């Protein structure tokens, strides 16, 4: 009985999110369409309560629950708090956009909360089964969210592509997991680690099966992260989805994917680090090249940001590839900064959109400075941060990742990544040129609620502020990784 | 009991395995989607037979009940109702073949090399221990499901819930033009809701015969 109580308290934030998601689904039935704003308030309240319990039940130690299938450690708590914050921003940014597009429904909030539950499970999963179910929960909610705007044929097509390729990736991941399970006899992350550590000099046969499993797992992970050569779905899905959903797909799930990679590769398969290091290295380099070079040719802002995501994922992989504490910390720092940048970037797109008009072309940003100098300034910070111009957060993120890779001895890779980052700066700076030096084509006034303007300003200025004082975020990431992995 | 030098168990296994492989192959090679679905049913049946040989009775029965009984029947319905253009499905087959064949072949060879007897033979992986008589598969599964795998079990139900929410959110259309009636509203209706009484002066209808009409009448009568 005591055991069950401990399990329930450990998973309290998850239970609250699940309960509130179902409550929102039911409450939607009894609300008049004009009162639906209450659902928005409930969703935000859920995040607050979950954050409160995650924060108060936090302990620096590592606690296992549900017979070792669930873990509560520093990394899971820090990542969960980041996920709540990101989701809260998504709710704020997307409210107006959804209201004018007839998508402001209970299902949106319920599905976003369900997807967030999936992320929380991924972050806290300590068995391959739990991790996989968390991933499926996240993916399934996202497929539905992409297609939520039913009248939109492009969104339906994007959802279809996302669904088919996501299912393929899940299949690969499962196949790889089954190989690892077959060789170690356990699904539990720490048990697999111990089984591999204590294996008496792995025979060639055992080794070859493990590598086969590893290849499939890495391929599945790369699909979900959107790393080259598994990136084909990213631009299409980003472009086709309603912008509010694109913002969701491109931001917080990446935090969960990061935890997923850490749990699978760094915690359970650490003994095979030599092998996955080379796989990640190839994918990182290819992602940085293809992401940055292809982004130059884009005229669609959302598509450009999709390719920019691919290159950012490449940098995260570069950090993970170092397979050292510093590498993991830098990768976590990078992914957290990326989420902030991505939220602010898509936030600006949402701000410029209005009923019946999507500000998704690069030309829609022309002369933004004349229409609204403040928003242009915010976008300037975001673009500088994505390009990695000091003193923004993006610069420091790239810097730490490259430093970790340098320490691991990958000098040429670092030189190459810096060159590619310089090439990538071109398309970010082009956006700034369009905003400041071109005449506006679209002279409609910008309509956006005040809370969104305030949140967006805080988000973008945060990029600048954290760039000047990166120690605060760095301390969090260091605390999370060192407490959980050593 | 031996047949052709094989134990009865082996004979059953090889028979089922051959049927399973043939059925699996036909699923992807047959031209008619309805036949493909039926071959898939056959594949499920024979797979269930192999699971029975492995003493996984509960799973074998579930496979037949759930997949054959429910999923595939629904699938057949859908396949029959859809108007599938077979020629369009086959478009691009020959174009993709030169790339698909080597890639597929390479993967098959790799998998056979690794997932073969060499790595998973009886000398590498011990055969499962025989269970005593009266051992209940179902009870064991139930015990594990509600203890060790409780979290996964509960989360799987959440995944199903999301699937339901998604399916309804994506397909339910509230039709504004539908002519359904609400009995409660009908009972509560008052006279004033349907009948509007307007006060107005009585109108006297004047009979006017225009000159042109009268002239025309005269012409016709002539």
């Amino acid at each position: 009985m005591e055991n069950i109580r401990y399990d329930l308290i450990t998973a309290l934030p998850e239970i609250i999110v699940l309960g509130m998601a179902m409550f929102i689904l039911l409450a939607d039935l009894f609300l008049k369409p004009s009162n639906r704003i209450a659902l928005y308030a409930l969703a935000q309240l859920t995040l607050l309560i979950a954050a409160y319990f995650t924060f108060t039940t936090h302990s620096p130690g590592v606690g296992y629950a549900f017979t070792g299938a669930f873990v509560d450690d520093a990394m899971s708590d820090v990542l969960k708090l980041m996920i709540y914050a990101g989701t809260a921003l998504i709710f704020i940014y997307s409210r107006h956009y959804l209201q004018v597009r007839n998508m402001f429904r209970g299902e949106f909030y319920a599905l976003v909360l369900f997807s967030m539950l999936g992320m929380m499970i991924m972050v806290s999963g300590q068995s391959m089964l739990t991790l996989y179910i968390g991933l499926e929960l996240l993916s399934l909610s996202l497929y539905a969210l992409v297609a939520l705007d039913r009248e939109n044929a492009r969104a339906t097509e994007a959802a279809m592509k996302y669904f088919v390729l996501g299912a393929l990736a899940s299949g690969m991941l499962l196949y790889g997991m089954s190989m690892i399970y077959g060789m170690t006899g356990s699904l539990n992350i720490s048990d697999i680690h111990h089984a591999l550590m204590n294996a008496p000099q792995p025979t060639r046969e055992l080794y070859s099966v493990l590598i086969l499993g590893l290849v499939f797992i890495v391929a599945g992970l790369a699909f979900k992260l959107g790393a080259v050569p598994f990136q084909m779905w990213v631009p299409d899905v980003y472009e086709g989805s309603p912008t509010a959903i694109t913002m969701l797909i491109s931001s917080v799930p990446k935090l969960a994917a990061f935890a997923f990679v850490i749990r699978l590769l760094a915690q359970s398969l650490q003994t095979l680090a030599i092998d996955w290091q080379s796989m990640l290295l190839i994918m990182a380099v290819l992602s940085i090249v293809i992401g940055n070079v292809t982004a130059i040719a884009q005229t669609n802002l959302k598509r450009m940001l999709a390719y920019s995501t691919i290159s950012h994922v490449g940098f995260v992989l570069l950090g993970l590839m170092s397979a050292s504490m510093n590498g993991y910390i830098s990768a976590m720092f990078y992914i957290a900064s990326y989420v902030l940048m991505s939220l602010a970037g898509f936030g600006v797109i949402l701000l410029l959109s209005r009923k019946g008009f999507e500000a998704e072309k690069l030309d829609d940003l022309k002369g933004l400075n004349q229409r609204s100098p403040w928003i242009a300034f915010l976008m300037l910070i975001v673009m500088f941060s994505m390009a990695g111009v000091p003193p923004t957060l993006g610069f420091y993120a790239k810097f730490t990742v490259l430093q970790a890779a340098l320490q691991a001895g990958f000098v040429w890779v670092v030189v190459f990544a810096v060159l590619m980052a310089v090439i990538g700066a071109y398309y970010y700076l082009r956006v700034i040129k369009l905003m400041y030096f071109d005449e506006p084509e679209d002279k409609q006034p910008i309509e956006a609620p005040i809370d969104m303007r305030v949140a967006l300003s805080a988000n973008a200025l945060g990029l600048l502020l954290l760039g000047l004082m990166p120690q605060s975020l760095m301390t969090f990431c260091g605390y999370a990784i060192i407490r959980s992995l050593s | 009991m031996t047949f052709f030098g094989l134990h009865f168990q082996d004979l059953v296994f090889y028979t089922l395995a051959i049927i399973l492989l043939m059925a699996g192959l036909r699923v992807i090679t047959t031209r008619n989607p309805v036949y493909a679905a039926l071959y898939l049913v056959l594949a499920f049946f024979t797979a269930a037979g192999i699971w029975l040989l492995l003493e996984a009775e509960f799973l074998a029965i579930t496979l037949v009940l759930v997949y054959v009984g429910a999923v595939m029947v629904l699938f057949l319905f859908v396949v029959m109702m859809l108007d599938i253009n077979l020629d369009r499905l086959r478009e691009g087959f020959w174009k993709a073949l030169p790339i698909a064949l080597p890639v597929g072949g390479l993967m098959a060879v790799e998998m056979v090399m690794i997932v073969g007897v060499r790595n998973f033979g009886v000398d590498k992986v011990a055969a499962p221990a025989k269970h005593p008589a009266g051992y209940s598969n179902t009870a064991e599964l139930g015990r594990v499901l509600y203890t060790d795998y409780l979290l996964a079990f509960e989360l799987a139900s959440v995944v199903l819930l999301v699937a339901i929410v998604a399916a309804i959110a994506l397909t339910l259309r509230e039709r504004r033009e539908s002519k359904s009636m609400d009995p409660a509203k009908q009972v509560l209706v008052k006279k004033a809701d349907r009948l509007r009484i307007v006060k107005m002066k009585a109108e006297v209808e004047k009979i006017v015969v225009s000159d042109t009409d009268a002239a025309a009448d005269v012409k016709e009568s002539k």
Side-chain angles (χ1 to χ4, degrees):
Chain A
M1 212 55 222
E2 199 54 36
N3 227 343
I4 291 265
R5 237 188 83 193
Y6 178 74
D7 288 353
L8 292 182
I9 288 175
T10 316
L12 200 55
E14 279 81 1
I15 295 171
I16 288 166
V17 170
L18 173 62
M20 287 296 280
M22 294 199 275
F23 181 71
I24 287 175
L25 264 185
L26 285 178
D28 185 29
L29 284 177
F30 298 100
L31 278 177
K32 282 189 197 132
S34 54
N35 293 341
R36 282 210 180 125
I37 196 78
L39 299 175
Y40 166 78
L42 275 174
Q44 291 284 29
L45 183 71
T46 311
L47 297 178
L48 266 182
I49 302 174
Y52 172 76
F53 280 107
T54 305
F55 194 72
T56 49
T57 60
H58 172 72
S59 68
V62 181
Y64 298 103
F66 295 102
T67 56
F70 188 88
V71 65
D72 178 27
D73 55 8
M75 186 177 87
S76 70
D77 284 345
V78 169
L79 280 176
K80 271 180 210 170
L81 289 174
M82 287 178 181
I83 288 174
Y84 303 143
T87 314
L89 280 179
I90 289 173
F91 283 153
I92 295 175
Y93 293 164
S94 60
R95 199 188 77 224
H96 183 67
Y97 180 91
L98 297 172
Q99 276 171 332
V100 297
R101 275 173 186 73
N102 198 20
M103 284 168 68
F104 192 66
R105 293 188 279 157
E107 289 93 0
F108 173 81
Y109 289 102
L111 283 173
V112 172
L113 286 181
F114 278 128
S115 74
M116 199 182 80
L117 178 67
M119 293 176 218
M120 293 162 75
I121 298 292
M122 279 166 78
V123 163
S124 273
Q126 182 66 11
S127 127
M128 291 204 284
L129 189 61
T130 325
L131 284 170
Y132 174 72
I133 295 183
L135 179 67
E136 280 305 285
L137 188 54
L138 166 66
S139 311
L140 207 60
S141 315
L142 288 184
Y143 305 146
L145 281 168
V146 172
L148 200 60
D149 188 9
R150 288 182 305 204
E151 314 303 324
N152 187 341
R154 269 169 66 206
T156 312
E157 188 193 326
M160 202 62 210
K161 270 184 191 152
Y162 195 20
F163 178 69
V164 171
L165 287 176
L168 186 68
S170 295
M172 289 214 234
L173 198 63
L174 271 186
Y175 191 70
M177 285 176 173
S178 76
M179 288 292 141
I180 305 286
Y181 177 60
M183 279 297 111
T184 58
S186 176
L187 286 170
N188 191 290
I189 296 295
S190 30
D191 288 355
I192 293 171
H193 178 63
H194 289 302
L196 290 179
M197 283 289 275
N198 300 334
Q201 191 54 44
T203 54
R204 244 194 78 234
E205 285 86 4
L206 173 77
Y207 191 67
S208 61
V209 178
L210 283 176
I211 295 300
L212 182 78
L214 183 67
V215 168
F216 276 98
I217 285 184
V218 169
L221 290 176
F223 244 120
K224 296 288 179 191
L225 275 172
V228 178
F230 304 103
Q231 88 292 8
M232 300 80 71
W233 60 272
V234 180
D236 290 348
V237 172
Y238 274 42
E239 190 190 351
S241 314
T243 311
I245 312 294
T246 312
M247 175 168 67
L248 172 64
I249 294 175
S250 78
S251 55
V252 270
K254 297 280 188 274
L255 290 168
F258 167 79
F260 202 92
V261 176
I262 288 281
R263 299 265 184 236
L264 276 179
L265 296 188
Q267 284 193 331
S268 73
L269 301 175
Q270 180 70 44
T271 17
L272 300 176
I274 292 282
D275 300 289
W276 55 254
Q277 249 181 328
S278 50
M279 297 180 204
L280 293 194
L281 174 64
I282 294 169
M283 294 196 310
V285 170
L286 284 178
S287 302
I288 294 173
V289 174
I290 293 187
N292 277 325
V293 172
T294 326
I296 295 174
Q298 304 307 317
T299 54
N300 184 306
L301 191 53
K302 278 156 85 180
R303 235 180 143 75
M304 190 196 95
L305 286 177
Y307 282 106
S308 127
T309 302
I310 294 173
S311 80
H312 286 305
V313 165
F315 274 98
V316 173
L317 290 178
L318 210 57
L320 289 167
M321 182 253 338
S322 312
S324 62
M325 277 300 170
N326 273 339
Y328 301 144
I329 296 172
S330 68
M332 185 166 168
F333 186 85
Y334 199 104
I335 207 105
S337 346
Y338 162 74
V339 168
L340 272 181
M341 294 189 275
S342 169
L343 284 173
F346 281 105
V348 171
I349 301 181
L350 287 178
L351 192 76
L352 298 180
S353 302
R354 56 180 177 267
K355 193 176 174 73
F357 172 74
E358 302 267 344
E360 55 176 23
K361 291 266 176 297
L362 275 176
D363 290 348
D364 295 333
L365 285 176
K366 271 188 181 171
L368 185 62
N369 186 41
Q370 292 174 30
R371 293 168 67 201
S372 164
W374 179 241
I375 295 172
F377 174 66
L378 296 180
M379 192 62 171
L380 172 91
I381 298 177
V382 176
M383 286 297 127
F384 270 157
S385 185
M386 284 192 172
V389 177
T392 52
L393 185 59
F395 165 73
Y396 201 76
K398 281 201 171 61
F399 178 71
T400 48
V401 162
L402 294 177
Q403 202 179 30
L406 209 56
Q407 278 170 1
F410 296 94
V411 181
W412 286 109
V413 178
V414 171
V415 172
F416 184 71
V418 170
L419 279 178
M420 281 298 144
V422 172
I423 292 179
Y426 166 75
Y427 61 85
Y428 296 121
L429 295 180
R430 185 177 56 184
V431 172
I432 294 170
K433 178 233 160 203
L434 286 175
M435 290 192 304
Y436 281 90
F437 301 109
D438 283 11
E439 286 300 310
E441 285 181 354
D442 167 25
K443 293 205 170 72
Q444 294 257 355
I446 296 164
E447 43 172 76
I450 187 75
D451 57 340
M452 179 176 178
R453 285 170 188 264
V454 171
L456 188 63
S457 307
N459 187 345
L461 290 179
L463 292 176
L464 197 61
L465 214 64
L466 281 172
L468 291 170
M469 296 180 287
Q471 269 319 312
S472 46
L473 185 57
M474 197 48 129
T475 319
F476 268 122
C477 297
Y479 171 77
I481 294 288
I482 289 168
R483 287 280 178 190
S484 311
L485 282 185
S486 50
Chain B
M1 200 160 57
T2 56
F3 301 83
F4 314 110
L6 280 173
H7 287 291
F8 179 64
Q9 231 179 1
D10 295 342
L11 190 73
V12 173
F13 172 76
Y14 282 117
T15 317
L16 289 176
I18 289 168
I19 299 176
L20 175 61
L21 288 180
M22 291 307 294
L25 203 63
R26 290 299 285 157
V27 173
I28 52 170
T29 51
T30 189
R31 299 183 74 88
N32 189 330
V34 177
Y35 289 175
L38 287 173
Y39 274 117
L40 197 55
V41 169
L42 181 64
F44 281 145
F45 254 120
T46 40
I50 291 179
W51 286 4
L52 272 180
L53 274 182
L54 286 170
E55 299 184 7
E57 296 90 0
F58 180 77
L59 288 182
I61 293 168
T62 318
L63 184 67
V64 173
L65 283 182
V66 175
Y67 275 88
V68 177
V71 176
M72 284 317 295
V73 171
L74 279 179
F75 205 81
L76 264 180
F77 265 116
V78 174
V79 168
M80 284 179 184
M81 278 183 199
L82 289 180
D83 181 24
I84 299 173
N85 189 342
L86 289 178
D87 293 328
R88 271 204 58 205
L89 277 182
R90 242 172 283 281
E91 244 173 46
F93 177 82
W94 292 108
K95 221 177 78 187
L97 195 68
I99 303 167
L101 205 63
V103 171
L106 195 69
M107 276 179 75
V109 170
E110 275 176 1
M111 277 160 69
V112 168
M113 274 170 67
I114 289 171
V115 197
V117 190
R118 202 160 55 95
N119 292 340
F120 286 96
V122 191
D123 52 328
K124 297 284 187 325
V125 184
K130 281 258 179 275
H131 295 301
Y135 175 85
S136 168
N137 234 302
T138 319
E140 278 304 300
L141 265 178
R143 193 185 62 74
V144 180
L145 209 54
Y146 291 103
T147 53
D148 292 356
Y149 296 103
L150 178 67
L151 182 67
F153 180 71
E154 297 292 338
L155 286 174
S157 67
V158 180
V159 173
L160 288 180
L161 176 67
V162 170
I164 296 172
V165 173
I168 294 175
L170 296 185
T171 53
L172 180 72
R173 283 166 200 274
E174 282 171 35
R175 296 179 54 175
R176 300 264 153 63
E177 74 272 25
S178 78
K179 302 267 196 296
S180 64
M181 288 189 221
D182 185 351
K185 272 189 187 163
Q186 282 185 308
V187 172
L188 287 176
V189 84
K190 292 190 189 71
K191 190 177 85 178
D193 295 337
R194 295 198 171 160
L195 188 68
R196 194 161 60 99
I197 298 171
V198 184
K199 288 245 190 283
M200 61 186 289
K201 279 182 186 164
E203 282 184 9
V204 181
E205 203 180 343
K206 287 178 202 157
I207 299 162
V208 186
V209 179
S210 68
D211 296 345
T212 49
D213 280 356
D217 286 348
V218 174
K219 267 186 189 167
E220 264 176 32
S221 60
K222 270 185 181 174

